[in-house]
Amino acid sequence: SVFNILCADSQFEIEFAQFLDNSNDVVSYFKNDIQLQNYIEYIKHDGSSGVYYPDFYIKLKNNNRWIVETKGASELNAKRKYDRLKIWCENASRESNLNWDNLFVRQEIWNKFNNPPNNFDDLVKLIINQQII
């Protein structure tokens, strides 16, 4: 991580951070937090506006950027947040000339792995077809 201490909201986030620390294709990452004020605005299910703090921002050796949401339990606005994140990544890619992408990692899928993947790219390949919110 780019920080020397990681504040996590769950054991799952700690496990995911350890995975990122050990992934040979990850250059850097940070666990997002409300204190960092790095949020994305979205429209909630009731039509009101809200802010969303995605869990992890990741830079890979190939210079691609990823925003990862780890989720242990489903919530009412989860799909709306993730749909907005997809649009944010599309816009960021177009405006920054960098490739921004997103991944939704559900704990129930993560827990099915006997061993975590060796690197982030392998994780993407394993999860990309299972992104159902």
Side-chain angles (χ1 to χ4, degrees):
S1 173
V2 295
F3 298 114
N4 61 345
I5 296 176
L6 180 93
C7 293
D9 298 320
S10 68
Q11 181 61 36
F12 178 37
E13 288 183 353
I14 292 170
E15 288 176 24
F16 191 76
Q18 290 171 334
F19 161 74
L20 294 174
D21 279 336
N22 294 318
S23 294
N24 60 7
D25 55 351
V26 173
V27 172
S28 61
Y29 74 89
F30 70 89
K31 165 63 179 90
N32 196 21
D33 182 88
I34 194 168
Q35 304 296 357
L36 298 175
Q37 292 297 307
N38 197 4
Y39 61 86
I40 297 171
E41 296 175 344
Y42 75 104
I43 304 299
K44 295 179 180 183
H45 75 284
D46 64 4
S48 66
S49 63
V51 293
Y52 161 49
Y53 296 86
D55 291 326
F56 290 90
Y57 286 72
I58 302 164
K59 179 181 176 183
L60 300 182
K61 284 184 178 178
N62 64 9
N63 212 29
N64 289 344
R65 297 338 197 246
W66 284 81
I67 301 178
V68 174
E69 177 64 22
T70 56
K71 194 61 81 183
S74 186
E75 62 165 288
L76 190 57
N77 286 307
K79 182 164 179 10
R80 289 181 167 273
K81 291 176 183 178
Y82 194 66
D83 287 346
R84 177 64 180 101
L85 176 59
K86 291 177 188 178
I87 294 167
W88 188 95
C89 287
E90 290 169 7
N91 292 339
S93 294
R94 186 173 48 254
E95 296 298 322
S96 68
N97 293 318
L98 294 170
N99 184 39
W100 284 88
D101 214 334
N102 55 84
L103 189 65
F104 188 83
V105 181
R106 295 176 67 157
Q107 186 174 8
E108 65 192 56
I109 302 298
W110 180 266
N111 289 345
K112 290 181 182 177
F113 299 146
N114 291 330
N115 296 306
N118 292 322
N119 57 48
F120 188 80
D121 189 49
D122 288 346
L123 175 68
V124 171
K125 290 174 187 172
L126 289 170
I127 289 190
I128 203 75
N129 295 322
Q130 300 177 41
Q131 282 193 14
I132 300 169
I133 297 177

